[in-house]
Amino acid sequence: MSVEPIPLTGGKSVYCINEFQLKQAFSLANDDPESSPKIQKKISELEEIFDRNEQAALAFVLIDRLLKTVKKTEI
C-alpha cells in the first residue's frame, strides 16, 4: 500500500519552535559528550526501522507530549 508523505511544511501552524530552541537541540544532539551519543544512536535506530511518515508522526507526537507534560517551573 502506498501512503502519501506527511507534509512537513505548509498549512496552519500548530507548534512554534524558535531558532534558539533549535540551536540548543542540535547542540545537545551533536555536541554534548553525554547526550549526543545516546541521541545519535536512537536516531540511527529509528531511521532504520521507520519510514519517513513514521518518523514525522513520532516527531510530532513527541513534541505534543512534551508540551502537554511541561512542568510549571519550566514555563
Side-chain angles (χ1 to χ4, degrees):
M1 171 170 54
S2 178
V3 178
E4 291 294 317
I6 295 173
L8 300 178
T9 59
K12 183 179 177 184
S13 292
V14 178
Y15 304 115
C16 180
I17 300 170
N18 67 44
E19 289 181 39
F20 177 75
Q21 291 168 314
L22 190 59
K23 182 178 177 182
Q24 293 297 105
F26 276 109
S27 179
L28 190 64
N30 296 321
D31 303 323
D32 185 85
E34 188 175 326
S35 294
S36 179
K38 295 188 293 186
I39 293 170
Q40 292 302 321
K41 181 179 182 210
K42 287 299 176 189
I43 289 172
S44 293
E45 290 172 1
L46 293 171
E47 287 176 339
E48 286 181 26
I49 62 171
F50 285 167
D51 65 24
R52 185 179 185 278
N53 281 349
E54 292 166 334
Q55 290 175 45
L58 177 62
F60 293 138
V61 169
L62 284 173
I63 289 170
D64 185 66
R65 287 184 179 192
L66 287 168
L67 287 171
K68 289 178 179 172
T69 60
V70 68
K71 296 177 184 174
K72 299 277 185 204
T73 58
E74 295 176 359
I75 296 177

